Amino acid sequence: KRFCGHFVRLSPDQHDEWEGRFFTIPDFNAELANLDAWLSGQHPDTRKDWYAVGSSWMNKRHQANLAALKQSKAQRVKVGI
């Protein structure tokens, strides 16, 4: 697997690494496409540093998903499901 957008370009190894690291993102390539689209409107310096910016972007989504999963699990325990 690999992803080649206008700015985001992940090799197969990088794609696998990120997909494993940010495993809670259900449609991983769609999120990469969102990131790539967002970068198109950013300052050239931001686009140049897309790897660090992208890692941070994906981590924020991943952490939000982990928090939602944790909250959902706590709710199920609370009601005895």
Side-chain angles (χ1 to χ4, degrees):
K1 295 178 193 177
R2 69 182 291 144
F3 183 87
C4 286
H6 293 293
F7 305 102
V8 177
R9 297 177 184 272
L10 293 175
S11 71
D13 288 342
Q14 291 169 327
H15 187 282
D16 290 346
E17 178 190 343
W18 277 26
E19 196 170 30
R21 188 183 323 160
F22 309 122
F23 60 87
T24 64
I25 299 173
D27 193 339
F28 188 73
N29 283 337
E31 193 62 37
L32 289 173
N34 288 339
L35 168 61
D36 197 62
W38 177 81
L39 282 167
S40 70
Q42 301 307 305
H43 189 275
D45 288 343
T46 301
R47 293 193 304 254
K48 184 179 176 183
D49 199 22
W50 70 265
Y51 193 88
V53 170
S55 182
S56 177
W57 169 289
M58 300 299 273
N59 188 53
K60 286 178 187 174
R61 269 102 185 128
H62 177 69
Q63 293 302 320
N65 290 346
L66 283 175
L69 287 169
K70 185 176 179 179
Q71 183 178 6
S72 176
K73 185 183 267 188
Q75 290 289 342
R76 287 194 306 264
V77 168
K78 195 175 201 179
V79 295
I81 296 177

